[in-house]
Amino acid sequence: MNERKTIAVIGAGNGGQTMAAHLSFMGHKVRLYDRSPHKAEQLNSRKSIVLKGALELEGSIAQASSDLEQVIEGAEIIMVTTTATAHRTIASQIAPFLKDGQIIVLNPGRTCGALEFRNTLHDAGVDRRVYVAEAQTLIYACRVIELGVVNVIGVKDKVLLAAYPASDTPYVIDRLKNIYPCFYSARNVLQTSFENVGAMFHPTVVLFNEAAIERGNDFYFYRDMTDGLARMIEEADRERLAVAEAYGLSPIPVFDWISYAYNGVEGDTLCERLHNNPAYYEILAPKTIECRQITEDIPTGIIPLAELGRAAGVPTPLFDSLIVMCSTLLNRNFYDEGRTLKRLGLDGLTKEEIIKKIN
């Protein structure tokens, strides 16, 4: 068995419960944080979390708590599984309790998550030697059936990971390789940020199915994909690829990513590959347009991609349109809460200066 580690999992949603159970089953001592004391108490009373589907196992967590200091005390690795919109808050709350040598991994970082997290720690006066990294996507496709029971739809075989600064990536990968061999080194957090393919799928599907969602019509998020909507996703993806190219990177197009992340998925078109991915079969559309596919992916995915495009002189008309339409649809200004260049500490920098800072 691998060396037993003490691991803190921050966030007891779909991904957090799955990760906590899986890590516990592997033999690690796992503490799970949730901001809700009631939810933490319920998880404590269960003593374990059951995973079904692609993973059939039961993991006994050491503790669930709404006390952040208690959860991260002595933890070698801190896995953050909250929504990306909570990263800034978690960084501020966790700052006073961090110790030298602790590794923080955002699962996932979405776009520029590690940069935002590190900048928030800096603003909070953290001077300890901690490591901040981000995964390109969440390892698990999963949905909570009920508290303490999760359906794992699929587990990704390859997930890119990078630390900020990039020089810390080899150390983080080395510390995680016996736990999650699926993690592969990325060049830097710009690469993991530009590999945020979820931001290509999620807002577009919700926006173009807005009427069906508001009427309460159930449908499968990916399995009911149409050719026209898949083409729209690929058009948005071309903007992502163009911005990334300006920064010297070549992320995987969404068409190829499906087969990269999930072995054996085939199809001549993106629509066919989404239909043919077993990990996506049972994923239903959200019940409301006020969903994380917009409230998370626009401010922490589309906005920073558009902002990085602006800094590099790359036009992103489809991204800009998505931001305006989703802001209008939900009657909120996503720029007020999003990862703008100013909020990331990159405002006023040239493309070359941004690349230098990231590296």
Side-chain angles (χ1 to χ4, degrees), residues 108-181:
R110 299 302 180 194
T111 300
C112 298
L115 185 59
E116 179 184 54
F117 205 96
R118 173 73 78 179
N119 286 346
T120 305
L121 294 181
H122 177 269
D123 290 344
V126 174
D127 58 359
R128 274 81 72 196
R129 180 62 170 104
V130 296
Y131 301 83
V132 179
E134 66 177 34
Q136 171 250 334
T137 185
L138 182 66
I139 294 168
Y140 313 96
C142 53
R143 291 293 183 272
V144 170
I145 300 171
E146 61 182 73
L147 191 67
V149 182
V150 187
N151 178 34
V152 181
I153 304 160
V155 182
K156 297 180 180 69
D157 299 297
K158 298 173 184 176
V159 175
L160 288 170
L161 182 137
Y164 178 62
S167 55
D168 286 346
T169 301
Y171 177 79
V172 174
I173 289 285
D174 183 68
R175 297 297 295 164
L176 293 173
K177 65 183 179 183
N178 290 330
I179 304 172
Y180 284 124

Side-chain angles (χ1 to χ4, degrees), residues 79-327:
M79 304 295 266
V80 179
T81 62
T82 63
T83 60
T85 49
H87 287 166
R88 198 182 318 146
T89 300
I90 293 294
S92 296
Q93 293 174 340
I94 210 173
F97 314 125
L98 291 171
K99 306 295 183 186
D100 284 336
Q102 288 183 305
I103 295 171
I104 302 163
V105 182
L106 307 180
N107 297 272
R110 299 302 180 194
T111 300
C112 298
L115 185 59
E116 179 184 54
F117 205 96
R118 173 73 78 179
N119 286 346
T120 305
L121 294 181
H122 177 269
D123 290 344
V126 174
D127 58 359
R128 274 81 72 196
R129 180 62 170 104
V130 296
Y131 301 83
V132 179
E134 66 177 34
Q136 171 250 334
T137 185
L138 182 66
I139 294 168
Y140 313 96
C142 53
R143 291 293 183 272
V144 170
I145 300 171
E146 61 182 73
L147 191 67
V149 182
V150 187
N151 178 34
V152 181
I153 304 160
V155 182
K156 297 180 180 69
D157 299 297
K158 298 173 184 176
V159 175
L160 288 170
L161 182 137
Y164 178 62
S167 55
D168 286 346
T169 301
Y171 177 79
V172 174
I173 289 285
D174 183 68
R175 297 297 295 164
L176 293 173
K177 65 183 179 183
N178 290 330
I179 304 172
Y180 284 124
C182 61
F183 281 141
Y184 285 74
S185 294
R187 185 190 305 181
N188 54 34
V189 294
L190 280 180
Q191 184 178 5
T192 50
S193 292
F194 286 130
E195 292 286 359
N196 181 9
V197 297
M200 303 301 100
F201 293 115
H202 301 158
T204 312
V205 174
V206 172
L207 184 63
F208 282 86
N209 285 282
E210 184 273 340
I213 293 171
E214 289 214 291
R215 283 196 301 264
N217 298 346
D218 289 336
F219 63 93
Y220 291 103
F221 198 83
Y222 296 103
R223 189 149 45 110
D224 287 331
M225 179 70 61
T226 63
D227 287 322
L229 185 48
R231 285 195 299 274
M232 182 66 69
I233 290 169
E234 289 187 294
E235 283 302 315
D237 196 49
R238 288 187 182 91
E239 292 190 357
R240 175 180 69 100
L241 299 176
V243 176
E245 184 180 2
Y247 287 87
L249 294 165
S250 301
I252 303 172
V254 290
F255 176 78
D256 296 320
W257 180 84
I258 299 295
S259 299
Y260 173 84
Y262 299 97
N263 284 336
V265 175
E266 298 180 353
D268 293 332
T269 66
L270 175 62
C271 189
E272 288 180 3
R273 291 192 174 191
L274 292 172
H275 288 174
N276 294 340
N277 186 358
Y280 287 168
Y281 282 172
E282 302 304 319
I283 297 178
L284 286 166
K287 300 293 186 182
T288 172
I289 57 170
E290 189 83 29
C291 58
R292 62 185 295 180
Q293 287 87 349
I294 288 182
T295 61
E296 179 178 21
D297 283 296
I298 292 295
T300 69
I302 299 297
I303 283 178
L305 287 170
E307 289 275 282
L308 288 168
R310 179 168 61 83
V314 177
T316 56
L318 191 49
F319 286 166
D320 297 340
S321 298
L322 283 170
I323 295 165
V324 171
M325 286 189 288
C326 289
S327 294

Side-chain angles (χ1 to χ4, degrees), residues 18 21-22 25-26 49-59 140 145 149-155:
T18 303
H22 196 192
F25 182 79
M26 292 182 205
I49 298 172
V50 176
L51 303 185
K52 298 182 177 183
L55 293 175
E56 292 279 349
L57 59 89
E58 184 172 357
Y140 313 96
I145 300 171
V149 182
V150 187
N151 178 34
V152 181
I153 304 160
V155 182

